[in-house]
Amino acid sequence: HQPGDSKPAVWWNTKYKTRWLSDGSVLSGNPIYTNILWNEIGRGSDLHKLDQWLATNATAIQELTTAVFSNEAPRFEQFFDAKSIAKESALRGEIVFQKTCMRCHGQYEKNWSLPEFQNKSWDEQIKTARVIYPQPTRVYDVGTDSYRRQSMKSLEKLNRLAISQRQGIQVLSQEGYVPPPLVGIWARWPYFHNNAIPNLCALLTPAQERPRTYFAGPAKDKRKDFDRECNGYPLGQQAPSQWQWLEDSYFDTQIPGLSNSGHDEGIFLENGKELLSAQNKKDLIAFLQTL
């Protein structure tokens, strides 16, 4: 009866969270089991046969689970020269982050703050020494599109299934979304749970000023297909012209379920007034690219 669009959350952040879905609705249960169960229900599979299959393949599922929880994010400097992130800018950005983002998205201790790395290269200093993410995983309503979390209400019926109960899977729709860990945030454009934000510059812009539409395309050429300064899709005339001819490349935030509203007031806006300068935003993006 209504859309429930959501991008898949990246596996590499699962290790930090106690709720692996972006809508926070899965309170407990192995994410591999849950993915298989929901996919097979969608395909109309026989649940008795599925239950047997899960039992028979317990070792393989455990191996998949181990792979998920040991998965590492791609680092910015694996694709771009680390020196393209100015140290002074990233250090200033860390301060901005601590004031505006840390309370929800966690703390990221950098090597550059540790005495033993003071004489090391920037390639070593730029790395994250430790991630401190709030436990247990929290859910907040920051005004982002509500369709996805509302749609999870219908899946609470799955709690009654014997197969769900045996696997300890519990679903409860939430009044908000999980503020994700930001490890590898640079590689996760477009942003928000519904892909409504094309890059970090747009994310740090008041909702009413964000681009209402954009073209999405494959990241084949890092010089043309990626806006390094804004971290994400290039917009307007900077976007590769061939993208407009790709199937499903046009993103319209005015379609129900794809709104780009929220995540501004009370974070980097106060009574509609921006708290961050253009330099603050540039520095914050530089810091985020080091995570």
Side-chain angles (χ1 to χ4, degrees):
H1 299 288
Q2 68 180 45
D5 295 67
S6 178
K7 66 185 292 184
V10 293
W11 285 126
W12 67 66
N13 277 336
T14 308
K15 65 173 73 72
Y16 304 111
K17 301 184 292 180
T18 56
R19 301 187 188 191
W20 57 274
L21 277 187
S22 59
D23 53 57
S25 61
V26 180
L27 305 186
S28 61
N30 182 310
I32 298 297
Y33 273 116
T34 310
N35 263 286
I36 292 173
L37 174 60
W38 290 5
N39 287 339
E40 292 304 308
I41 287 176
R43 281 154 39 98
S45 297
D46 184 305
L47 294 188
H48 294 288
K49 291 181 179 179
L50 177 61
D51 206 16
Q52 282 186 328
W53 187 91
L54 290 171
T56 303
N57 292 276
T59 300
I61 291 173
Q62 184 55 53
E63 290 173 350
L64 284 170
T65 305
T66 300
V68 165
F69 279 83
S70 60
N71 196 256
E72 295 293 333
R75 293 199 55 79
F76 187 86
E77 61 269 23
Q78 292 175 306
F79 297 84
F80 302 92
D81 188 342
K83 294 183 177 62
S84 66
I85 300 178
K87 182 175 182 178
E88 296 77 12
S89 181
L91 293 176
R92 292 193 300 266
E94 182 179 30
I95 296 172
V96 176
F97 179 86
Q98 291 169 347
K99 293 179 179 178
T100 57
C101 315
M102 188 175 72
R103 66 182 182 273
C104 293
H105 291 284
Q107 182 179 353
Y108 303 83
E109 295 183 354
K110 305 297 293 182
N111 281 355
W112 64 55
S113 299
L114 302 177
E116 61 267 33
F117 283 92
Q118 294 309 302
N119 296 321
K120 298 288 186 179
S121 68
W122 178 233
D123 292 66
E124 289 298 318
Q125 291 185 359
I126 203 173
K127 295 178 181 177
T128 303
R130 186 165 65 133
V131 177
I132 306 172
Y133 183 71
Q135 297 294 328
T137 299
R138 303 168 185 170
V139 170
Y140 295 99
D141 183 2
V142 292
T144 49
D145 194 293
S146 64
Y147 276 97
R148 170 65 181 189
R149 61 180 175 83
Q150 291 174 358
S151 71
M152 299 306 290
K153 184 70 178 177
S154 63
L155 291 185
E156 291 178 5
K157 299 174 184 177
L158 297 178
N159 295 333
R160 302 201 299 262
L161 293 176
I163 191 172
S164 293
Q165 294 174 11
R166 262 193 296 280
Q167 301 301 336
I169 299 169
Q170 185 180 12
V171 183
L172 182 65
S173 63
Q174 302 294 305
E175 295 297 320
Y177 295 91
V178 170
L182 299 183
V183 177
I185 184 66
W186 79 271
R188 283 160 43 198
W189 80 94
Y191 298 100
F192 281 8
H193 71 275
N194 60 356
N195 287 338
I197 307 290
N199 57 45
L200 289 179
C201 286
L203 190 149
L204 297 174
T205 299
Q208 67 271 19
E209 299 175 20
R210 291 170 183 157
R212 292 186 176 182
T213 63
Y214 68 84
F215 286 103
K220 294 180 178 179
D221 187 335
K222 63 183 180 182
R223 296 169 302 169
K224 299 177 181 179
D225 302 335
F226 180 72
D227 184 335
R228 202 199 67 77
E229 296 296 323
C230 283
N231 202 96
Y233 285 126
L235 301 175
Q237 294 184 347
Q238 300 302 315
S241 58
Q242 63 269 28
W243 284 5
Q244 63 184 299
W245 306 111
L246 298 176
E247 185 177 5
D248 296 327
S249 66
Y250 184 69
F251 195 100
D252 185 352
T253 63
Q254 298 174 87
I255 294 175
L258 302 183
S259 167
N260 63 3
S261 64
H263 197 279
D264 52 4
E265 186 64 42
I267 301 174
F268 53 86
L269 287 185
E270 185 174 329
N271 297 321
K273 182 179 180 181
E274 289 201 62
L275 301 176
L276 303 182
S277 66
Q279 186 63 53
N280 289 154
K281 295 177 184 181
K282 184 176 180 179
D283 294 339
L284 178 56
I285 291 173
F287 174 71
L288 292 174
Q289 288 175 332
T290 75
L291 300 183

